[in-house]
Amino acid sequence: MTPVSDHPQRRQVRIAGGLFAGARAIVIAVITVDRLSAGAASVLLGPLDDQIILSASMLVASLALVAGLWNVSPPTWMLPFKILGLLGAVVTVLGAGVFTLFSIDVSRTTLVEGGCDTGYVVVERTLLLGSKGTVYQQEGLFIASPMGRTSADDAHEPFAEGDYTVTTTDGTLTIEYGVDRGGPTATLSLPAIVDRVPSCGYAPTGLDTRPGSTEPTTPTEVLTPTSVDAAIDQLLDDSLAAAAGTPVDASGTPIDASTAERSLVPCVDGSGVQHHVDLQFRTDDNATSVAQILGVWDDAGYEPDRAMQEDIRYSETGPVARLTMRDTTSIDGFVRMTITSACVPAQ
């Protein structure tokens, strides 16, 4: 008859065996996704990419192995094998622990252009005095495709800190991000994701928290489609009236604020929609126009912020949640302005 004192040891061995089997299954699943896609896809769960999932699973598996071997009572002749197994498992624990320690400091940021998501996310991690990032296109609930790599100095995480801008031109997404705080920049180009409806209304990227993505602003009062449209109309009228000369489009036709095209985009947080206006125009003096329009927004009480080469104004309570202004005169001679309303019920 087995002594009663052996029962707790057997339970601990079974628990260790279950943990080992679970961690092993996760490792196999992550590796299988990578192999079946020939490296084109990987597992992404929130900010946890395949690197941290693998290292954490290996740590759990090796700890479970140590616990299991420790609680096993082998025959005397097998004791040397138990000792060797424990030593190997302890070495594995130390290696997996160090690797996990260098992998766990991660952040995930939704890549945003003009207050709307682009379909890409960036996972960044710091390592000693540098940082590395991977740009992913989310393909499913847990599957994503790595599309590009980024790097920065002095533990600077440009995307988590909002030190980046995104511009879409002719189906190409151009991402400019800071390599160092206040220092040089680098550029990454990706294909724009088509056939998708973006989510808009994101707060300034500089307000991003770790871990997680940029959080959208939410108004504290109930607004209606009519009230947000009226607020957008007023801002458009005041902004274009403040420009230096008459704002015109690419064909040279004067822009009429009353006919500016609007799109309805899903709210980032909760149900409903947001009214979004995206204008591209030029004036007699773009630099003066930008300064004067920003003055109008400041006078209207919007809070200021700035990403690289993009001026931002936002409100957490007003009918308009976010306004952006980007002067690309040196590139194509235009100014780009977006106005995004707060979330309202869909009609």
Side-chain angles (χ1 to χ4, degrees), residues 7 15 50 75 86 115 127 141 159 185 232-233 265 277 287 321 328 340:
H7 292 173
I15 292 172
D50 53 357
L86 278 171
L127 178 61
L141 189 58
F159 296 94
T185 63
I232 290 175
D233 287 340
V265 294
V277 175
T328 59
T340 304

Side-chain angles (χ1 to χ4, degrees), residues 112-329:
V112 174
E113 178 187 11
C116 300
D117 79 295
T118 60
Y120 291 102
V121 297
V122 184
V123 174
E124 297 173 280
R125 57 171 41 87
T126 57
L127 178 61
L128 300 177
L129 295 180
S131 72
K132 300 290 184 182
T134 303
V135 183
Y136 290 97
Q137 178 183 350
Q138 196 81 49
E139 303 288 355
L141 189 58
F142 304 123
I143 306 299
S145 298
M147 303 296 292
R149 307 284 180 179
T150 66
S151 63
D153 301 326
D154 296 331
H156 177 44
E157 296 185 351
F159 296 94
E161 297 174 24
D163 188 13
Y164 75 93
T165 56
V166 180
T167 304
T168 302
T169 306
D170 296 330
T172 299
L173 216 66
T174 301
I175 307 165
E176 186 178 4
Y177 63 92
V179 176
D180 202 347
R181 294 177 181 86
T185 63
T187 301
L188 176 67
S189 295
L190 299 172
I193 304 175
V194 297
D195 299 329
R196 62 179 298 273
V197 178
S199 295
C200 298
Y202 281 81
T205 52
L207 300 181
D208 191 72
T209 56
R210 296 169 48 84
S213 62
T214 306
E215 294 295 332
T217 59
T218 54
T220 58
E221 61 180 280
V222 177
L223 299 169
T224 65
T226 301
S227 65
V228 299
D229 276 338
I232 290 175
D233 287 340
Q234 187 64 55
L235 277 169
L236 281 172
D237 286 336
D238 294 344
S239 299
L240 296 179
T246 302
V248 298
D249 60 19
S251 66
T253 303
I255 294 178
D256 186 350
S258 64
T259 60
E261 183 178 352
R262 285 169 208 187
S263 58
L264 300 180
V265 294
C267 296
V268 177
D269 187 15
S271 59
V273 295
Q274 291 171 287
H275 296 203
H276 181 73
V277 175
D278 193 343
L279 286 182
Q280 176 180 288
F281 61 89
R282 64 174 181 266
T283 66
D284 296 339
D285 186 338
N286 284 353
T288 300
S289 296
V290 168
Q292 294 178 170
I293 292 172
L294 290 175
V296 169
W297 296 352
D298 291 335
D299 292 341
Y302 289 91
E303 296 293 331
D305 194 69
R306 181 171 174 80
M308 288 195 325
Q309 301 180 11
E310 184 176 52
D311 289 286
I312 300 167
R313 299 295 184 270
Y314 65 96
S315 171
E316 296 184 358
T317 58
V320 171
R322 180 181 170 92
L323 308 102
T324 69
M325 182 78 69
R326 180 176 172 84
D327 188 353
T328 59
T329 302

